[in-house]
Amino acid sequence: MSIEIPTQVVFYKIERAIKEYRKYAQKRISETVSDITVDQGLILLFLKHYPELSQKEIAALVFKDNASMTRMIDLMVKKQYLVRSTHSEDRRRYNIEITTKGKKILEKLPPVIMKNRTTALEGITEEEIDQVEKILDKIITNCTTNQ
Amino acid sequence: MSIEIPTQVVFYKIERAIKEYRKYAQKRISETVSDITVDQGLILLFLKHYPELSQKEIAALVFKDNASMTRMIDLMVKKQYLVRSTHSEDRRRYNIEITTKGKKILEKLPPVIMKNRTTALEGITEEEIDQVEKILDKIITNCTTNQ
DNA sequence: TGTATTTATTTGATATATCAAATATATTTG
DNA sequence: CAAATATATTTGATATATCAAATAAATACA
């Protein structure tokens, strides 16, 4: 059975696109904010919008494993972007709060992120983005329902 | 400055789509071939088509760092899927050959890979795939030229 | 030819990915 | 209520990601 080599397949291009975007975004972020990764920035953004999130919920939002999330948050606590405190209603989980240092980073992020998104999507119409999203949704559905 | 939260941005969906596909593909591959990852399979496929590839070239093809490639190939040599031998014309690099064990894996891969691709793309037309590729190309160009 | 520069690969350090097993607490059920 | 089950987080082991620096060989060039 003969198959196409990977370079000719759409998944190859999806992989490349997201990796190039991440590389580009990380570069721009590092120019403005020191010592923060794209994913750490995402975690801060999510926590700002939804302060009640548990580690597990954050992990799901950023597509990470719970074990990875433990370690990422460990690190962000060590870097003093976050603090953990015990949850009053459920002692298995934590409250995760953004520190002053974390908030300062959060102030610097939005303009960089906006610029990254705009630059990366230059020359692409709203309609095209909708098309892509619709098709990616189909892929997501196909991969998650045929488990 | 207020920005959209990540879930509402196309990059979030791209990331999710590729991760779900990888998870799905890995699951299917593991059912058929033991002890091989999607990326290791990709490396075997590329080497089969282009046996002269250097580590650096393979790394570029699968979007990895040279350092990662060294370690991945170390592992594949340890697992006896590949052997390294010195290159006659350039002693800095290696010839990388697929072993008999590696070839046996390569025989089992194509049907699984084809099935994965077909399943993941179910209900998506050729035309839609072309659209997605065209738009992803724009993103790739935007992120790589605006460095 | 000899030195400087470039190139392919490796190594070290640190972070993240993934799976399975362990802990501790909550919830369900007999 | 007690035992079984479920849930949130952690830990260990191993692989991969990323950057910078180190090695070793090839190439360019004075």
Side-chain angles (χ1 to χ4, degrees), chain A residues 3-6 12-13 15 22 28 42 49-50 61 114 117 120 122-123 137-138 142 146-147, chain B residues 3-6 12-13 15 22 28 42 49-50 61 114 117 120 122-123 137-138 142 146-147:
Chain A
I3 61 167
E4 288 174 281
I5 57 168
Y12 190 78
K13 195 151 278 180
E15 180 104 29
R22 277 189 161 265
R28 289 290 160 272
L42 279 182
H49 281 265
Y50 309 110
L61 280 169
M114 274 190 79
R117 291 175 185 169
E122 221 168 75
D137 275 331
K138 285 189 192 173
N142 287 339
N146 294 53
Q147 296 288 0
Chain B
I3 61 169
E4 288 174 282
I5 56 168
Y12 191 78
K13 196 152 278 183
E15 180 105 29
R22 277 187 162 268
R28 288 292 160 269
L42 279 182
H49 280 266
Y50 310 110
L61 280 169
M114 274 188 80
R117 291 176 185 169
E122 221 168 75
D137 274 330
K138 284 189 193 174
N142 287 338
N146 295 51
Q147 297 287 1

mmCIF file of all heavy atoms in Angstrom, chain A residues 3-6 12-13 15 22 28 42 49-50 61 114 117 120 122-123 137-138 142 146-147, chain B residues 3-6 12-13 15 22 28 42 49-50 61 114 117 120 122-123 137-138 142 146-147:
data_model
loop_
_atom_site.group_PDB
_atom_site.id
_atom_site.type_symbol
_atom_site.label_atom_id
_atom_site.label_comp_id
_atom_site.label_asym_id
_atom_site.label_seq_id
_atom_site.Cartn_x
_atom_site.Cartn_y
_atom_site.Cartn_z
ATOM 1 N N ILE A 3 1.397 5.315 0.220
ATOM 2 C CA ILE A 3 0.744 6.518 0.744
ATOM 3 C C ILE A 3 1.521 7.754 0.339
ATOM 4 O O ILE A 3 2.682 7.677 -0.027
ATOM 5 C CB ILE A 3 0.633 6.475 2.282
ATOM 6 C CG1 ILE A 3 2.040 6.392 2.897
ATOM 7 C CG2 ILE A 3 -0.229 5.343 2.734
ATOM 8 C CD1 ILE A 3 2.038 6.650 4.372
ATOM 9 N N GLU A 4 0.818 8.849 0.454
ATOM 10 C CA GLU A 4 1.505 10.105 0.176
ATOM 11 C C GLU A 4 2.528 10.385 1.263
ATOM 12 O O GLU A 4 2.304 10.080 2.425
ATOM 13 C CB GLU A 4 0.499 11.249 0.176
ATOM 14 C CG GLU A 4 -0.434 11.254 -1.022
ATOM 15 C CD GLU A 4 -1.481 12.346 -0.855
ATOM 16 O OE1 GLU A 4 -2.455 12.116 -0.105
ATOM 17 O OE2 GLU A 4 -1.310 13.410 -1.444
ATOM 18 N N ILE A 5 3.633 11.017 0.869
ATOM 19 C CA ILE A 5 4.565 11.381 1.921
ATOM 20 C C ILE A 5 3.997 12.575 2.683
ATOM 21 O O ILE A 5 3.203 13.354 2.153
ATOM 22 C CB ILE A 5 5.985 11.676 1.377
ATOM 23 C CG1 ILE A 5 5.936 12.786 0.335
ATOM 24 C CG2 ILE A 5 6.636 10.432 0.856
ATOM 25 C CD1 ILE A 5 7.309 13.292 -0.013
ATOM 26 N N PRO A 6 4.375 12.673 3.949
ATOM 27 C CA PRO A 6 3.730 13.616 4.874
ATOM 28 C C PRO A 6 3.641 15.051 4.358
ATOM 29 O O PRO A 6 2.643 15.724 4.614
ATOM 30 C CB PRO A 6 4.627 13.538 6.106
ATOM 31 C CG PRO A 6 5.219 12.176 6.044
ATOM 32 C CD PRO A 6 5.395 11.871 4.611
ATOM 33 N N TYR A 12 0.225 18.150 7.832
ATOM 34 C CA TYR A 12 1.595 18.647 7.833
ATOM 35 C C TYR A 12 1.598 20.172 7.822
ATOM 36 O O TYR A 12 2.355 20.818 8.545
ATOM 37 C CB TYR A 12 2.305 18.084 6.599
ATOM 38 C CG TYR A 12 3.794 18.298 6.579
ATOM 39 C CD1 TYR A 12 4.637 17.504 7.336
ATOM 40 C CD2 TYR A 12 4.354 19.286 5.785
ATOM 41 C CE1 TYR A 12 5.999 17.678 7.301
ATOM 42 C CE2 TYR A 12 5.722 19.473 5.741
ATOM 43 C CZ TYR A 12 6.544 18.670 6.503
ATOM 44 O OH TYR A 12 7.901 18.856 6.467
ATOM 45 N N LYS A 13 0.699 20.733 7.019
ATOM 46 C CA LYS A 13 0.640 22.186 6.920
ATOM 47 C C LYS A 13 0.028 22.803 8.180
ATOM 48 O O LYS A 13 0.454 23.872 8.626
ATOM 49 C CB LYS A 13 -0.157 22.581 5.683
ATOM 50 C CG LYS A 13 0.032 24.018 5.311
ATOM 51 C CD LYS A 13 -0.119 24.245 3.819
ATOM 52 C CE LYS A 13 1.146 23.906 3.062
ATOM 53 N NZ LYS A 13 1.006 24.117 1.617
ATOM 54 N N GLU A 15 0.311 21.605 11.183
ATOM 55 C CA GLU A 15 1.402 21.540 12.153
ATOM 56 C C GLU A 15 2.407 22.675 11.932
ATOM 57 O O GLU A 15 2.819 23.362 12.865
ATOM 58 C CB GLU A 15 2.116 20.184 11.980
ATOM 59 C CG GLU A 15 3.272 19.963 12.907
ATOM 60 C CD GLU A 15 2.947 19.014 14.039
ATOM 61 O OE1 GLU A 15 2.095 18.129 13.863
ATOM 62 O OE2 GLU A 15 3.539 19.171 15.126
ATOM 63 N N ARG A 22 3.621 30.039 16.731
ATOM 64 C CA ARG A 22 4.142 29.985 18.104
ATOM 65 C C ARG A 22 5.546 30.562 18.185
ATOM 66 O O ARG A 22 5.880 31.292 19.110
ATOM 67 C CB ARG A 22 4.167 28.542 18.609
ATOM 68 C CG ARG A 22 2.838 28.081 19.140
ATOM 69 C CD ARG A 22 2.974 26.738 19.819
ATOM 70 N NE ARG A 22 1.836 26.514 20.686
ATOM 71 C CZ ARG A 22 1.810 26.784 21.988
ATOM 72 N NH1 ARG A 22 2.885 27.273 22.580
ATOM 73 N NH2 ARG A 22 0.729 26.566 22.698
ATOM 74 N N ARG A 28 8.192 37.716 19.668
ATOM 75 C CA ARG A 28 7.659 39.052 19.932
ATOM 76 C C ARG A 28 7.406 39.267 21.420
ATOM 77 O O ARG A 28 7.666 40.326 21.965
ATOM 78 C CB ARG A 28 6.365 39.275 19.155
ATOM 79 C CG ARG A 28 6.536 39.421 17.666
ATOM 80 C CD ARG A 28 7.210 40.734 17.304
ATOM 81 N NE ARG A 28 7.796 40.681 15.968
ATOM 82 C CZ ARG A 28 9.015 40.250 15.693
ATOM 83 N NH1 ARG A 28 9.823 39.846 16.644
ATOM 84 N NH2 ARG A 28 9.475 40.231 14.448
ATOM 85 N N LEU A 42 -0.872 32.473 28.338
ATOM 86 C CA LEU A 42 -2.242 31.975 28.178
ATOM 87 C C LEU A 42 -2.872 31.674 29.527
ATOM 88 O O LEU A 42 -4.022 32.019 29.792
ATOM 89 C CB LEU A 42 -2.251 30.705 27.333
ATOM 90 C CG LEU A 42 -2.184 30.840 25.812
ATOM 91 C CD1 LEU A 42 -2.263 29.468 25.165
ATOM 92 C CD2 LEU A 42 -3.335 31.715 25.325
ATOM 93 N N HIS A 49 -9.624 36.077 33.322
ATOM 94 C CA HIS A 49 -11.042 36.044 32.918
ATOM 95 C C HIS A 49 -11.876 35.133 33.794
ATOM 96 O O HIS A 49 -13.042 35.404 34.033
ATOM 97 C CB HIS A 49 -11.156 35.596 31.454
ATOM 98 C CG HIS A 49 -10.863 36.684 30.484
ATOM 99 N ND1 HIS A 49 -11.853 37.462 29.922
ATOM 100 C CD2 HIS A 49 -9.699 37.153 29.997
ATOM 101 C CE1 HIS A 49 -11.293 38.347 29.113
ATOM 102 N NE2 HIS A 49 -9.990 38.196 29.141
ATOM 103 N N TYR A 50 -11.285 34.037 34.225
ATOM 104 C CA TYR A 50 -12.018 33.065 35.039
ATOM 105 C C TYR A 50 -11.188 32.718 36.261
ATOM 106 O O TYR A 50 -10.502 31.694 36.303
ATOM 107 C CB TYR A 50 -12.297 31.798 34.223
ATOM 108 C CG TYR A 50 -12.924 32.051 32.874
ATOM 109 C CD1 TYR A 50 -12.195 31.841 31.704
ATOM 110 C CD2 TYR A 50 -14.242 32.488 32.771
ATOM 111 C CE1 TYR A 50 -12.768 32.058 30.459
ATOM 112 C CE2 TYR A 50 -14.826 32.714 31.521
ATOM 113 C CZ TYR A 50 -14.079 32.505 30.371
ATOM 114 O OH TYR A 50 -14.643 32.724 29.135
ATOM 115 N N LEU A 61 -8.191 23.812 29.124
ATOM 116 C CA LEU A 61 -8.275 25.004 28.274
ATOM 117 C C LEU A 61 -7.034 25.192 27.408
ATOM 118 O O LEU A 61 -7.124 25.684 26.281
ATOM 119 C CB LEU A 61 -8.490 26.250 29.133
ATOM 120 C CG LEU A 61 -9.927 26.496 29.609
ATOM 121 C CD1 LEU A 61 -9.955 27.580 30.661
ATOM 122 C CD2 LEU A 61 -10.823 26.881 28.438
ATOM 123 N N MET A 114 -2.196 41.204 20.516
ATOM 124 C CA MET A 114 -3.007 41.745 19.419
ATOM 125 C C MET A 114 -2.171 41.917 18.160
ATOM 126 O O MET A 114 -2.594 41.558 17.070
ATOM 127 C CB MET A 114 -3.607 43.096 19.810
ATOM 128 C CG MET A 114 -4.901 42.961 20.554
ATOM 129 S SD MET A 114 -5.694 44.566 20.742
ATOM 130 C CE MET A 114 -6.441 44.800 19.131
ATOM 131 N N ARG A 117 -1.425 38.531 16.541
ATOM 132 C CA ARG A 117 -2.568 37.964 15.834
ATOM 133 C C ARG A 117 -2.816 38.709 14.523
ATOM 134 O O ARG A 117 -3.046 38.097 13.486
ATOM 135 C CB ARG A 117 -3.821 38.037 16.710
ATOM 136 C CG ARG A 117 -3.754 37.093 17.905
ATOM 137 C CD ARG A 117 -4.959 37.271 18.818
ATOM 138 N NE ARG A 117 -4.851 36.452 20.025
ATOM 139 C CZ ARG A 117 -5.641 36.556 21.070
ATOM 140 N NH1 ARG A 117 -6.636 37.451 21.067
ATOM 141 N NH2 ARG A 117 -5.484 35.783 22.118
ATOM 142 N N ALA A 120 -0.052 37.928 11.953
ATOM 143 C CA ALA A 120 -0.127 36.557 11.431
ATOM 144 C C ALA A 120 -1.320 36.371 10.499
ATOM 145 O O ALA A 120 -1.303 35.516 9.614
ATOM 146 C CB ALA A 120 -0.205 35.575 12.586
ATOM 147 N N GLU A 122 -2.622 38.778 8.517
ATOM 148 C CA GLU A 122 -2.621 39.803 7.478
ATOM 149 C C GLU A 122 -3.009 39.230 6.123
ATOM 150 O O GLU A 122 -2.498 38.177 5.719
ATOM 151 C CB GLU A 122 -1.221 40.416 7.383
ATOM 152 C CG GLU A 122 -1.195 41.915 7.206
ATOM 153 C CD GLU A 122 0.221 42.432 7.428
ATOM 154 O OE1 GLU A 122 1.067 42.246 6.535
ATOM 155 O OE2 GLU A 122 0.476 42.991 8.510
ATOM 156 N N GLY A 123 -3.914 39.899 5.437
ATOM 157 C CA GLY A 123 -4.312 39.450 4.102
ATOM 158 C C GLY A 123 -5.300 38.305 4.106
ATOM 159 O O GLY A 123 -5.595 37.704 3.084
ATOM 160 N N ASP A 137 -13.165 22.373 12.755
ATOM 161 C CA ASP A 137 -14.165 21.774 13.642
ATOM 162 C C ASP A 137 -14.527 20.367 13.184
ATOM 163 O O ASP A 137 -14.705 19.471 14.003
ATOM 164 C CB ASP A 137 -15.425 22.643 13.680
ATOM 165 C CG ASP A 137 -15.308 23.755 14.709
ATOM 166 O OD1 ASP A 137 -14.592 23.547 15.712
ATOM 167 O OD2 ASP A 137 -15.911 24.823 14.519
ATOM 168 N N LYS A 138 -14.630 20.207 11.880
ATOM 169 C CA LYS A 138 -14.945 18.868 11.359
ATOM 170 C C LYS A 138 -13.839 17.887 11.730
ATOM 171 O O LYS A 138 -14.098 16.763 12.159
ATOM 172 C CB LYS A 138 -15.098 18.906 9.831
ATOM 173 C CG LYS A 138 -16.401 19.517 9.351
ATOM 174 C CD LYS A 138 -16.553 19.304 7.837
ATOM 175 C CE LYS A 138 -17.689 20.156 7.268
ATOM 176 N NZ LYS A 138 -17.735 20.098 5.780
ATOM 177 N N ASN A 142 -14.243 14.600 13.952
ATOM 178 C CA ASN A 142 -13.850 13.286 13.436
ATOM 179 C C ASN A 142 -12.865 12.582 14.366
ATOM 180 O O ASN A 142 -12.958 11.381 14.581
ATOM 181 C CB ASN A 142 -13.213 13.433 12.048
ATOM 182 C CG ASN A 142 -14.232 13.755 10.967
ATOM 183 O OD1 ASN A 142 -15.427 13.509 11.123
ATOM 184 N ND2 ASN A 142 -13.767 14.331 9.869
ATOM 185 N N ASN A 146 -14.559 9.414 16.800
ATOM 186 C CA ASN A 146 -14.157 8.083 16.347
ATOM 187 C C ASN A 146 -13.134 7.429 17.273
ATOM 188 O O ASN A 146 -12.407 6.548 16.851
ATOM 189 C CB ASN A 146 -13.573 8.161 14.924
ATOM 190 C CG ASN A 146 -14.611 8.575 13.920
ATOM 191 O OD1 ASN A 146 -15.277 9.584 14.072
ATOM 192 N ND2 ASN A 146 -14.785 7.780 12.880
ATOM 193 N N GLN A 147 -13.075 7.888 18.481
ATOM 194 C CA GLN A 147 -12.132 7.292 19.434
ATOM 195 C C GLN A 147 -12.374 5.808 19.581
ATOM 196 O O GLN A 147 -11.581 5.100 20.113
ATOM 197 C CB GLN A 147 -12.254 7.955 20.822
ATOM 198 C CG GLN A 147 -11.891 9.426 20.842
ATOM 199 C CD GLN A 147 -10.416 9.688 20.690
ATOM 200 O OE1 GLN A 147 -9.636 8.752 20.570
ATOM 201 N NE2 GLN A 147 -9.997 10.928 20.647
ATOM 202 N N ILE B 3 -8.336 42.416 24.835
ATOM 203 C CA ILE B 3 -8.213 41.459 23.737
ATOM 204 C C ILE B 3 -9.181 40.312 23.918
ATOM 205 O O ILE B 3 -9.699 40.080 25.002
ATOM 206 C CB ILE B 3 -6.784 40.876 23.649
ATOM 207 C CG1 ILE B 3 -6.450 40.143 24.956
ATOM 208 C CG2 ILE B 3 -5.785 41.959 23.337
ATOM 209 C CD1 ILE B 3 -5.192 39.339 24.847
ATOM 210 N N GLU B 4 -9.404 39.618 22.830
ATOM 211 C CA GLU B 4 -10.258 38.441 22.914
ATOM 212 C C GLU B 4 -9.550 37.363 23.719
ATOM 213 O O GLU B 4 -8.335 37.219 23.630
ATOM 214 C CB GLU B 4 -10.512 37.888 21.512
ATOM 215 C CG GLU B 4 -11.428 38.748 20.672
ATOM 216 C CD GLU B 4 -11.500 38.206 19.250
ATOM 217 O OE1 GLU B 4 -10.557 38.434 18.483
ATOM 218 O OE2 GLU B 4 -12.493 37.546 18.945
ATOM 219 N N ILE B 5 -10.320 36.599 24.450
ATOM 220 C CA ILE B 5 -9.685 35.489 25.141
ATOM 221 C C ILE B 5 -9.357 34.411 24.112
ATOM 222 O O ILE B 5 -10.008 34.303 23.083
ATOM 223 C CB ILE B 5 -10.527 34.928 26.296
ATOM 224 C CG1 ILE B 5 -11.892 34.507 25.801
ATOM 225 C CG2 ILE B 5 -10.646 35.934 27.409
ATOM 226 C CD1 ILE B 5 -12.636 33.696 26.814
ATOM 227 N N PRO B 6 -8.305 33.650 24.419
ATOM 228 C CA PRO B 6 -7.730 32.742 23.435
ATOM 229 C C PRO B 6 -8.723 31.817 22.745
ATOM 230 O O PRO B 6 -8.577 31.534 21.559
ATOM 231 C CB PRO B 6 -6.736 31.932 24.272
ATOM 232 C CG PRO B 6 -6.354 32.850 25.376
ATOM 233 C CD PRO B 6 -7.572 33.653 25.685
ATOM 234 N N TYR B 12 -6.174 29.101 18.330
ATOM 235 C CA TYR B 12 -6.600 28.173 19.367
ATOM 236 C C TYR B 12 -7.203 26.922 18.726
ATOM 237 O O TYR B 12 -6.928 25.798 19.147
ATOM 238 C CB TYR B 12 -7.621 28.878 20.246
ATOM 239 C CG TYR B 12 -7.971 28.149 21.505
ATOM 240 C CD1 TYR B 12 -7.131 28.171 22.603
ATOM 241 C CD2 TYR B 12 -9.171 27.443 21.600
ATOM 242 C CE1 TYR B 12 -7.464 27.502 23.767
ATOM 243 C CE2 TYR B 12 -9.511 26.780 22.764
ATOM 244 C CZ TYR B 12 -8.656 26.813 23.838
ATOM 245 O OH TYR B 12 -8.983 26.156 24.990
ATOM 246 N N LYS B 13 -7.997 27.143 17.680
ATOM 247 C CA LYS B 13 -8.634 26.013 17.010
ATOM 248 C C LYS B 13 -7.624 25.206 16.202
ATOM 249 O O LYS B 13 -7.707 23.985 16.123
ATOM 250 C CB LYS B 13 -9.773 26.516 16.128
ATOM 251 C CG LYS B 13 -10.700 25.428 15.711
ATOM 252 C CD LYS B 13 -12.106 25.937 15.462
ATOM 253 C CE LYS B 13 -12.890 26.057 16.757
ATOM 254 N NZ LYS B 13 -14.267 26.479 16.548
ATOM 255 N N GLU B 15 -4.484 24.828 16.926
ATOM 256 C CA GLU B 15 -3.766 24.059 17.947
ATOM 257 C C GLU B 15 -4.583 22.844 18.380
ATOM 258 O O GLU B 15 -4.070 21.728 18.462
ATOM 259 C CB GLU B 15 -3.514 24.976 19.153
ATOM 260 C CG GLU B 15 -2.780 24.324 20.288
ATOM 261 C CD GLU B 15 -1.324 24.770 20.380
ATOM 262 O OE1 GLU B 15 -1.020 25.898 19.982
ATOM 263 O OE2 GLU B 15 -0.508 23.979 20.847
ATOM 264 N N ARG B 22 -3.264 14.300 16.336
ATOM 265 C CA ARG B 22 -2.097 13.562 16.824
ATOM 266 C C ARG B 22 -2.493 12.509 17.861
ATOM 267 O O ARG B 22 -1.992 11.397 17.854
ATOM 268 C CB ARG B 22 -1.082 14.523 17.451
ATOM 269 C CG ARG B 22 -0.177 15.168 16.426
ATOM 270 C CD ARG B 22 0.917 15.960 17.102
ATOM 271 N NE ARG B 22 1.994 16.217 16.173
ATOM 272 C CZ ARG B 22 3.067 15.440 16.028
ATOM 273 N NH1 ARG B 22 3.231 14.379 16.789
ATOM 274 N NH2 ARG B 22 3.985 15.733 15.140
ATOM 275 N N ARG B 28 -4.366 5.004 17.250
ATOM 276 C CA ARG B 28 -4.544 3.998 16.192
ATOM 277 C C ARG B 28 -3.231 3.295 15.870
ATOM 278 O O ARG B 28 -3.188 2.090 15.653
ATOM 279 C CB ARG B 28 -5.098 4.663 14.929
ATOM 280 C CG ARG B 28 -6.544 5.096 15.021
ATOM 281 C CD ARG B 28 -7.480 3.902 15.098
ATOM 282 N NE ARG B 28 -8.777 4.309 15.665
ATOM 283 C CZ ARG B 28 -9.066 4.279 16.956
ATOM 284 N NH1 ARG B 28 -8.184 3.852 17.824
ATOM 285 N NH2 ARG B 28 -10.249 4.676 17.391
ATOM 286 N N LEU B 42 7.066 9.138 11.173
ATOM 287 C CA LEU B 42 7.358 10.142 10.142
ATOM 288 C C LEU B 42 8.803 10.061 9.696
ATOM 289 O O LEU B 42 9.111 10.105 8.507
ATOM 290 C CB LEU B 42 7.088 11.544 10.673
ATOM 291 C CG LEU B 42 5.649 12.046 10.680
ATOM 292 C CD1 LEU B 42 5.588 13.469 11.203
ATOM 293 C CD2 LEU B 42 5.075 11.984 9.268
ATOM 294 N N HIS B 49 11.707 7.416 1.691
ATOM 295 C CA HIS B 49 11.595 8.154 0.428
ATOM 296 C C HIS B 49 12.894 8.845 0.041
ATOM 297 O O HIS B 49 13.216 8.949 -1.133
ATOM 298 C CB HIS B 49 10.465 9.188 0.518
ATOM 299 C CG HIS B 49 9.120 8.595 0.325
ATOM 300 N ND1 HIS B 49 8.489 8.549 -0.891
ATOM 301 C CD2 HIS B 49 8.288 7.989 1.205
ATOM 302 C CE1 HIS B 49 7.321 7.948 -0.758
ATOM 303 N NE2 HIS B 49 7.170 7.600 0.503
ATOM 304 N N TYR B 50 13.597 9.345 1.026
ATOM 305 C CA TYR B 50 14.840 10.075 0.766
ATOM 306 C C TYR B 50 15.944 9.528 1.660
ATOM 307 O O TYR B 50 16.257 10.092 2.711
ATOM 308 C CB TYR B 50 14.649 11.565 1.039
ATOM 309 C CG TYR B 50 13.440 12.170 0.379
ATOM 310 C CD1 TYR B 50 12.349 12.580 1.140
ATOM 311 C CD2 TYR B 50 13.393 12.351 -1.002
ATOM 312 C CE1 TYR B 50 11.228 13.143 0.537
ATOM 313 C CE2 TYR B 50 12.274 12.911 -1.622
ATOM 314 C CZ TYR B 50 11.191 13.303 -0.848
ATOM 315 O OH TYR B 50 10.090 13.858 -1.442
ATOM 316 N N LEU B 61 12.372 18.723 8.166
ATOM 317 C CA LEU B 61 11.158 18.138 7.590
ATOM 318 C C LEU B 61 10.079 17.869 8.639
ATOM 319 O O LEU B 61 8.896 17.980 8.356
ATOM 320 C CB LEU B 61 11.499 16.831 6.867
ATOM 321 C CG LEU B 61 12.096 16.974 5.463
ATOM 322 C CD1 LEU B 61 12.638 15.639 4.974
ATOM 323 C CD2 LEU B 61 11.043 17.504 4.488
ATOM 324 N N MET B 114 -3.138 5.774 6.354
ATOM 325 C CA MET B 114 -4.198 6.110 5.397
ATOM 326 C C MET B 114 -5.549 6.182 6.078
ATOM 327 O O MET B 114 -6.322 7.109 5.870
ATOM 328 C CB MET B 114 -4.256 5.073 4.277
ATOM 329 C CG MET B 114 -3.304 5.369 3.152
ATOM 330 S SD MET B 114 -3.586 4.265 1.769
ATOM 331 C CE MET B 114 -4.998 5.039 0.979
ATOM 332 N N ARG B 117 -5.857 9.353 8.196
ATOM 333 C CA ARG B 117 -6.082 10.550 7.397
ATOM 334 C C ARG B 117 -7.507 10.578 6.855
ATOM 335 O O ARG B 117 -8.183 11.608 6.902
ATOM 336 C CB ARG B 117 -5.088 10.591 6.222
ATOM 337 C CG ARG B 117 -3.653 10.840 6.678
ATOM 338 C CD ARG B 117 -2.688 10.788 5.507
ATOM 339 N NE ARG B 117 -1.299 10.902 5.956
ATOM 340 C CZ ARG B 117 -0.241 10.684 5.182
ATOM 341 N NH1 ARG B 117 -0.407 10.341 3.914
ATOM 342 N NH2 ARG B 117 0.986 10.809 5.663
ATOM 343 N N ALA B 120 -10.018 11.246 9.705
ATOM 344 C CA ALA B 120 -9.937 12.619 10.218
ATOM 345 C C ALA B 120 -10.500 13.618 9.223
ATOM 346 O O ALA B 120 -10.978 14.694 9.604
ATOM 347 C CB ALA B 120 -8.496 12.964 10.560
ATOM 348 N N GLU B 122 -12.996 12.972 7.054
ATOM 349 C CA GLU B 122 -14.331 12.561 6.624
ATOM 350 C C GLU B 122 -15.268 13.762 6.522
ATOM 351 O O GLU B 122 -15.313 14.599 7.426
ATOM 352 C CB GLU B 122 -14.898 11.561 7.637
ATOM 353 C CG GLU B 122 -15.649 10.396 7.023
ATOM 354 C CD GLU B 122 -15.896 9.327 8.073
ATOM 355 O OE1 GLU B 122 -16.790 9.535 8.930
ATOM 356 O OE2 GLU B 122 -15.160 8.324 8.072
ATOM 357 N N GLY B 123 -15.989 13.840 5.419
ATOM 358 C CA GLY B 123 -16.962 14.924 5.253
ATOM 359 C C GLY B 123 -16.345 16.242 4.841
ATOM 360 O O GLY B 123 -17.011 17.279 4.835
ATOM 361 N N ASP B 137 -1.039 28.709 4.372
ATOM 362 C CA ASP B 137 0.169 29.209 3.715
ATOM 363 C C ASP B 137 0.361 30.700 3.988
ATOM 364 O O ASP B 137 1.483 31.161 4.199
ATOM 365 C CB ASP B 137 0.093 28.967 2.199
ATOM 366 C CG ASP B 137 0.592 27.585 1.830
ATOM 367 O OD1 ASP B 137 1.467 27.072 2.557
ATOM 368 O OD2 ASP B 137 0.108 27.015 0.839
ATOM 369 N N LYS B 138 -0.740 31.430 3.969
ATOM 370 C CA LYS B 138 -0.643 32.869 4.249
ATOM 371 C C LYS B 138 -0.122 33.092 5.674
ATOM 372 O O LYS B 138 0.746 33.934 5.911
ATOM 373 C CB LYS B 138 -2.015 33.538 4.093
ATOM 374 C CG LYS B 138 -2.452 33.739 2.659
ATOM 375 C CD LYS B 138 -3.717 34.604 2.616
ATOM 376 C CE LYS B 138 -4.370 34.564 1.234
ATOM 377 N NZ LYS B 138 -5.677 35.283 1.224
ATOM 378 N N ASN B 142 3.232 35.004 6.651
ATOM 379 C CA ASN B 142 3.205 36.151 7.560
ATOM 380 C C ASN B 142 4.149 35.969 8.747
ATOM 381 O O ASN B 142 4.822 36.901 9.165
ATOM 382 C CB ASN B 142 1.787 36.379 8.098
ATOM 383 C CG ASN B 142 0.853 36.949 7.044
ATOM 384 O OD1 ASN B 142 1.298 37.545 6.064
ATOM 385 N ND2 ASN B 142 -0.440 36.760 7.237
ATOM 386 N N ASN B 146 7.859 38.193 8.540
ATOM 387 C CA ASN B 146 7.888 39.330 9.459
ATOM 388 C C ASN B 146 8.797 39.102 10.661
ATOM 389 O O ASN B 146 8.621 39.712 11.706
ATOM 390 C CB ASN B 146 6.476 39.653 9.959
ATOM 391 C CG ASN B 146 5.587 40.129 8.842
ATOM 392 O OD1 ASN B 146 5.485 39.497 7.802
ATOM 393 N ND2 ASN B 146 4.948 41.270 9.034
ATOM 394 N N GLN B 147 9.706 38.176 10.531
ATOM 395 C CA GLN B 147 10.638 37.924 11.640
ATOM 396 C C GLN B 147 11.358 39.202 12.031
ATOM 397 O O GLN B 147 12.014 39.284 13.024
ATOM 398 C CB GLN B 147 11.670 36.864 11.254
ATOM 399 C CG GLN B 147 11.061 35.506 10.963
ATOM 400 C CD GLN B 147 10.571 34.780 12.197
ATOM 401 O OE1 GLN B 147 10.679 35.309 13.299
ATOM 402 N NE2 GLN B 147 10.016 33.622 12.039
#
